[in-house]
Amino acid sequence: MRVLALALLPLFSVVAADTARSRFDVRDDLHFPLHARATNKDGSTPVYKNSKASIEDRVNDLLPRMTIQEKVAQMSLSIQGDMNGWMDFNDPLDDTLTFNQTGLEAMMATKAGSIWGGYLTPWDKFVFGVTVGQKYLMENTTLGIPAIIQSEGLHGFTNNGTIWPSPIGLAASFNPALLQEAAKTIADEAEGLGFSQIFAPVLDLSRELRWGRVEENFGEDPFLTGEMGHAYVTGLQSGRRRNVSSTAIGRMAATCKHFAAFGSPQGGLNTAQVTGGERELRTNYLKPFNRACVEAFSIMTAYSSYDGIPAIANTHLLTDILRTEWGYPYWVTADAGSVDLLINQHGLCDTRECAAKIALENGLQGEMGGGTYTYLTLPDQVQAGTVDISYVDETVKAMLRTKFALGLFENPYSYEDYLSTLRTPETRELLHSMEQETIILLENRNNTLPLSKSINSVALIGPQVDRVSFGDYVFFNASLNGISPLAGFTQLLSNTSVQIKYAQGCELWSNDPSGIPAAVEAAKSADAAIVMVGTWTLDQTLLWTPGTNATTGEHVDLSDLGLVGAQMQLVQAIKDAGKPTIVVLVSGKPVAEPWIQAHADAVVQQFYPGELGGLALAEVIFGDVNPSGKLPVSFPRSVGTTPVFYNYLKGGRFIDPGEVLDDGTLIFGHQARTALQTYVLDTPVPIWSFGHGLSYTTFNYTDLTLSKSTIGTNEDFSVSVTVHNTGDRDGKEVVQVYATDVVSSVVTPNQELVGFQKVDLASGESKTVTINVNSSQLALWSLRNRWVVEFGTFAIKVGTSDQTFLNTTLTVQ
């Protein structure tokens, strides 16, 4: 390493004329000189440098000036060498502002399109590194093409930025407007430091609960996922970077992933095959992407195969649908190492050249690192005629469109006042609201909750009490900014006489029950016991470290959805102690423990929270906040009763259940000859279903009306209903509208969410809520392989997936 001033040494990649001719297929009508491709022969300013020119004109002017090596450098994303190629980010506490010139030049020669910057490092050091890299590209390369700087963003900006709840928790808020504001703060924090691309949102569906990455999704439903994803993309991208072209249309590139059908792998095993056909693909997996991502500046493809075709080599998915049918113009990249999977997992290729060729030609996508950088074979393949340069050109155009759309050619740098948007009080206040709205009250027998602050003591028991449980894709030591439940309850009760009695009881990851007796004694000595158990994941350093443990996260898949170790034994022992028992599930996915639903006095679900999760949980338990979260995913009774998503196809569920009683008695269910389904000793009905969530107040619904009771096949309509808060507390209710196609030409879901709206009502207040429904939401993928809204009747209901409050009929003719 050697120290250099930010005004870099003058390094110029001037191409010799004879070499240039072989790379450019020289014609007499070229309007730029080969020895100075960033200029025009007539002295005019190149269009690509004209900030007032249209994006497409700038793209078309720049592309012919690029050599094949420069084009491939735009397509090969750096995630192994990345910024660490010219900076030293290995020590997260080191703040030395130095860089390696040799590493910088080598990195930019082959992987200059997108640069990975996802590190825990002092902010000023990161800004220094961005400035070094971008100045080199802008001032010391022939064409001056800036890089996109990338990081993760599932939980917020990860380099000591504000950590938000996991996406499955964000979805539980059923509040897209709040999520849009949250995403805006994520962009605020990242933009000032020089980032221009965030790897989020994840739009996979939580239909296979054994999969480790359920926590990264917005739930099991295509409509909710699409609405939350659209809110995230809009919040992250809207606006414009400082001092950029008026033609720039966004300030940060969201990255929708994983395109497509990635979240339902066979056996729940990460990257395993996904089975399905065109109707399944269209009806479920593609809907969220179509809603959220057509205007996103980046899309990431999936590792898995669908119906036998790897997603990264699926021309029907990536070209026919995404590019041609949807008209998607921006950057698509393969996930880290996935091009190599064509060789070592899918078995479609036996050479790097083959893998690069079919990933490019079938997908018009770039290659992220993490593998063998197969795209570095493309220059030779183009020269040999085995790869058509047109595929390279179209892919590079997509990358350039994204960069021009972000205004990076005018200003790719960090901001001098980057500290002004990092971890602000306004962001923390917004985070606090989101934390409160993500918590779900699942059970509340005899109004056990909220607890009164006039009680003498409360026992906090369990391995999740004194722990900050963030989701995966946070960086090392992020939990140091979080408030544990123990700290949150302590803060909330500090000015009361309520005494906290804490006992851990057991570890998350151990069968050792030796701590349970002390926990039971703590419960017996308190007025109420709160038992906090669940799943856990680790940050991105520890999650991939051999020898560490976790039960959720990338590559952490499960064969059992019950509590691990001695946790269930602890819950049962505390309930047997005879005091009111509240079970809090802190998890990244549904926990399949029907005993808890049947026996606990109250059950609260908190999907992995953000920094203020411990405080928000205490506020809900003691009634400072009325819970308003709803389940974005259903809870199965056991792994054997999965899949359990609510929008199963008609004929997929019936109730004549069997049961195993607490004393071991076996009650056998039966399946009728009419093919109605059940299990001999269990039921396919979830413990809690999608959309479920209780409140400390009560709501009543009246006056359900449709804007039109009869519509044409292309007509939109609206659903109106009056919601009354009939209880003695202020509260928020999520109005949910479901539709069922009563008679259809293909089998359709028994019901589908088609609209929702969160409404805030004071005690005794009533509001009329109107929810618009697009006619396309009634469409099915027909026998002729096209979207059709068929004539007939649709049952419209207001309620949850397992409850009907009001219903009516819509006719399409």
Side-chain angles (χ1 to χ4, degrees), residues 1 78-90 98-108 111 115-117 119 129 132:
M1 299 289 287
S78 172
I79 199 167
Q80 293 290 352
D82 50 63
M83 280 184 68
N84 218 22
W86 69 88
M87 299 288 293
D88 182 0
F89 290 138
N90 295 313
T98 61
F99 73 96
N100 184 301
Q101 183 74 30
T102 302
L104 176 67
E105 295 173 29
M107 183 62 55
M108 299 310 188
K111 307 181 186 75
I115 305 294
W116 177 247
Y119 291 98
V132 166

Side-chain angles (χ1 to χ4, degrees), residues 573-620:
I574 299 306
K575 175 60 181 173
D576 288 344
K579 294 299 178 72
T581 302
I582 300 102
V583 177
V584 178
L585 300 172
V586 181
S587 67
K589 64 172 60 179
V591 172
E593 293 289 1
W595 190 95
I596 291 176
Q597 185 275 334
H599 294 86
D601 296 292
V603 184
V604 173
Q605 173 66 42
Q606 184 179 47
F607 292 110
Y608 295 142
E611 295 180 12
L612 299 178
L615 176 59
L617 180 62
E619 291 170 330
V620 167

Side-chain angles (χ1 to χ4, degrees), residues 51 58 130 134 138 146-147 191-192 194-196 240-245 248 250-251 403 406-416:
S51 63
R58 297 178 79 179
V130 169
Q134 297 288 30
M138 296 291 284
E191 179 186 347
F195 286 98
S196 45
R240 189 178 287 132
R241 291 180 58 82
R242 299 179 190 174
N243 303 316
V244 298
S245 164
R251 60 174 179 146
K403 291 185 176 183
L406 294 171
L408 294 180
F409 280 77
E410 285 70 60
N411 182 16
Y413 301 110
S414 310
Y415 302 155
E416 290 184 1

Side-chain angles (χ1 to χ4, degrees), residues 15-27 34:
V15 182
D18 57 342
T19 304
R21 288 189 179 91
S22 67
R23 294 174 178 175
F24 283 96
D25 186 22
V26 177
R27 305 183 308 272
L34 295 179

Side-chain angles (χ1 to χ4, degrees), residues 155-156 161-166 170 178 181-182 185-186 189 423-438 470 481-483 608-613 615-616 619:
H155 305 272
T162 303
I163 298 301
W164 292 79
S166 59
L170 297 171
L178 186 58
E181 289 300 308
T185 71
I186 295 170
E189 293 192 331
R423 306 188 64 82
T424 66
E426 294 78 14
T427 296
R428 196 167 182 82
E429 182 178 352
L430 192 68
L431 169 65
H432 195 181
S433 297
M434 179 63 84
E435 301 274 23
Q436 294 167 346
E437 293 204 18
T438 62
F470 289 157
N481 289 324
I483 296 177
Y608 295 142
E611 295 180 12
L612 299 178
L615 176 59
E619 291 170 330

Side-chain angles (χ1 to χ4, degrees), residues 167-169 171 202-206 211 213-219 263:
I168 195 74
V202 172
L203 299 173
D204 305 318
L205 299 180
S206 303
W211 189 50
R213 304 180 74 172
V214 169
E215 68 199 67
E216 300 178 22
N217 307 338
F218 291 126

Side-chain angles (χ1 to χ4, degrees), residues 22-70:
S22 67
R23 294 174 178 175
F24 283 96
D25 186 22
V26 177
R27 305 183 308 272
D28 292 336
D29 62 346
L30 283 178
H31 61 283
F32 55 87
L34 295 179
H35 66 279
R37 291 174 286 123
T39 63
N40 285 342
K41 289 179 178 178
D42 62 5
S44 63
T45 300
V47 173
Y48 87 90
K49 291 185 177 182
N50 180 359
S51 63
K52 296 181 180 179
S54 72
I55 289 175
E56 205 61 20
D57 286 346
R58 297 178 79 179
V59 168
N60 290 331
D61 181 66
L62 176 56
L63 185 72
R65 301 172 187 266
M66 300 173 69
T67 67
I68 181 62
Q69 286 81 6
E70 288 167 339

